[in-house]
Every structure is written in structure tokens, then in C-alpha cells.
Amino acid sequence: MSQKLILNIGWLYPNLMSTYGDRGNVICLQRRSQWRNILVNIIPLDQKVDASCFSKIDIVVGGGAQDRQQEIVMRDLKGAKAEMLKFKLDKGTPGVFTCASPQLLGHYYESASGQRINGLGLLDIVTKHSGSNISRCVGNMVFQITASPLAEEIKQMSGENPFVIGFENHGGRTYLGNVQSLGKIILGYGNNGEDGCEGVFYRHAIATYSHGPLLAKNSFITDWLIKTALKEKYQEDITLINIDDNLEKQARKTILKKLKLFSSI
Ligand code: GLN
């Protein structure tokens, strides 16, 4: 394609939903796009903008937050803004949503204090915090992406089985209705520590409990998001030039050895 490629990255409530370092996901998308000569605009999607801003977005990023901030976000993310975000994701705009963000894309999030925060109802999930006297789901996590067609597309792009390495820190336990999980847990709690599932995959939206930040440790997901966003925007399958990920691959090996998982995946 001869025209200059441009991607608008929409960042949900950066001042409220960046508690766990997920701004790193925005940086990874920005840099791996720029290294391919794709122009990137980062657009905060917060209280200061209206629904028209949401309509310009090519990739949506949502990070993690504490219960209080989630409640503040949902006071603003309603009406035309909420409808536009749901329209975009339903239409196939790609996104990566971590922890608190997916909780708010579901039917509701019941916080540690028992307050029910109604979500957008886009994902058929509910989340309930187990109460401040129950230990949080905290620690390193490793899972295999099993969602279709995401797993196949990533394997085709990267040539590798999509194993995700991350870190989780949540009190909420998420239960899935009629929606597919993102993957199956190998190490850690995942959605609820009971059913062995992690995250949710819906249209082109990746929802996960994996902080890390996720994209810094799993660049194949970054590239899938970029490629998918370009295809949705320009209606063309654009091949991304390869980037030397040797350092990241070595870091992944080191983490897997530390977690005594290197030989098993
Ligand atoms: N406050 C939510 C919970 O505890 C989300 C936490 C997060 O975003 N890491 O489950």
C-alpha cells in the first residue's frame, strides 16, 4: 500500500485505569507500529471527550484499576460514549483490555464492598470480588491462547504456539456465560481460580487478567492487534515487516525457566 498508514490508539481513562502499569501496552503498540513506519496517534478516551472521539479509534486499550476508580469510570462511560464503544467492538475494532477494563465490559462488577457497578454488557460475563478478607489472585501467570480464530491467526503470523506470560493482581472472580475464554491456564488463577480458564475473546477484543504489561512480554499479540487494526481500517491484509525480538525471546525463556515451565511449553 503506497499511502501513509495511520493508527489511532484509544486509551480508556488513562488517569484512572493505569494502576498496574498497563500503559506499557499503549507504548508497545505505538513503538511496534512506528518501527514499521506507521504513524500513531494516542487519544485519551476519558471524561474530557465525547462519543465522536471514540468513533475515530482503530485500536482500544483499557488498563487495570482499583474498585473506586472503576466506579468513577462507569459514572462517565455511559450513553453515547458507551454505545459508540460497544458499536466499535461489535464491528470488529481490535482492543486489549486488562483486568478492571474487561470487568466493566461485562454485565457487572461487584466490588469488595459489595457495591454492584453495572458494566456495558458487551461481554457475557459477571465479576464478583470475594471480599477483602479473601486473598487476592496475585502472581505470575502463564496460559495458552485457545480462542478461535485468534490462536490460529497468531500461530500463522508468529509460527509459534501462543503461550502468554504475565502477572495477575485481582480480587474479582469472573464467570463466563455465552462467550469464549481467551485461553487455558497453565500457571496462576486466571478468571476465577476454579475453571482453568483465562480471559475472554470477543470479535477482535482480547480481555485478560494478565498485566506485565502484557504486550511487552508477548509481542505476537501486539503484532496481531496492529495487523488486525490495519485490515479493519484499510480493508487490506498488510504484511508487517519483521522486528528483531531476540531480547524478548531470551527474557521469555528466562521467565519460563524461573517458573520451571521452560521444558513443558
Ligand atoms: N479492582 C479490580 C479487582 O480487584 C480490578 C483490579 C485490576 O485491575 N488489577 O479485581
Side-chain angles (χ1 to χ4, degrees):
M1 171 174 274
S2 54
Q3 74 180 98
K4 179 77 177 160
L5 300 175
I6 302 173
L7 284 177
N8 297 320
I9 299 174
W11 187 3
L12 286 174
Y13 301 86
N15 294 331
L16 289 167
M17 303 187 89
S18 296
T19 312
Y20 301 84
D22 300 311
R23 66 179 58 241
N25 290 339
V26 176
I27 297 168
C28 289
L29 283 164
Q30 178 189 38
R31 301 301 288 135
R32 289 185 76 87
S33 297
Q34 290 172 336
W35 290 337
R36 290 155 166 143
N37 202 24
I38 299 167
L39 193 64
V40 173
N41 299 309
I42 297 172
I43 302 170
L45 300 175
D46 57 19
Q47 300 95 320
K48 300 189 193 89
V49 302
D50 64 21
S52 63
C53 216
F54 282 67
S55 67
K56 299 174 197 150
I57 299 309
D58 302 313
I59 303 178
V60 188
V61 179
Q66 292 166 306
D67 291 10
R68 168 107 181 83
Q69 283 76 7
Q70 287 174 262
E71 197 265 326
I72 296 169
V73 165
M74 289 318 288
R75 277 192 232 141
D76 181 74
L77 186 54
K78 57 190 180 189
K81 280 186 189 179
E83 290 312 310
M84 180 54 77
L85 179 57
K86 286 196 285 186
F87 169 76
K88 294 282 285 184
L89 296 177
D90 256 331
K91 190 166 70 70
T93 300
V96 54
F97 303 93
T98 312
C99 208
S101 297
Q103 293 174 347
L104 299 179
L105 291 179
H107 297 299
Y108 62 79
Y109 169 61
E110 223 162 76
S111 69
S113 62
Q115 179 193 6
R116 180 170 287 195
I117 303 169
N118 287 326
L120 300 188
L122 178 78
L123 303 180
D124 187 10
I125 63 172
V126 296
T127 304
K128 297 176 184 173
H129 195 295
S130 305
S132 43
N133 59 330
I134 303 285
S135 58
R136 292 175 66 81
C137 303
V138 180
N140 289 301
M141 72 186 310
V142 177
F143 64 93
Q144 180 175 358
I145 291 179
T146 52
S148 182
L150 179 63
E152 298 89 343
E153 290 177 4
I154 286 179
K155 190 165 180 182
Q156 192 178 9
M157 276 182 70
S158 69
E160 296 173 27
N161 267 328
F163 288 99
V164 176
I165 299 169
F167 187 85
E168 61 188 319
N169 179 347
H170 54 103
R173 273 71 171 176
T174 294
Y175 299 91
L176 274 55
N178 182 24
V179 66
Q180 65 173 328
S181 66
L182 175 62
K184 63 177 182 177
I185 273 291
I186 294 168
L187 174 75
Y189 299 89
N191 287 336
N192 49 48
E194 298 160 32
D195 61 15
C197 292
E198 158 53 16
V200 175
F201 183 66
Y202 174 78
R203 300 287 288 118
H204 291 141
I206 292 172
T208 177
Y209 272 113
S210 180
H211 299 290
L214 173 77
L215 298 186
K217 295 184 176 178
N218 306 279
S219 59
F220 51 83
I221 300 178
T222 318
D223 289 351
W224 180 85
L225 287 163
I226 294 168
K227 187 173 176 70
T228 304
L230 291 171
K231 186 160 184 180
E232 287 294 317
K233 182 168 188 173
Y234 296 106
Q235 293 300 303
E236 190 176 329
D237 202 354
I238 297 171
T239 304
L240 299 181
I241 56 168
N242 282 331
I243 292 172
D244 178 3
D245 289 327
N246 239 342
L247 196 55
E248 181 212 324
K249 285 177 179 161
Q250 286 172 41
R252 283 170 61 89
K253 272 185 186 160
T254 303
I255 295 171
L256 290 174
K257 280 178 180 164
K258 181 182 158 193
L259 300 175
K260 298 182 176 49
L261 287 174
F262 181 64
S263 49
S264 52
I265 62 173

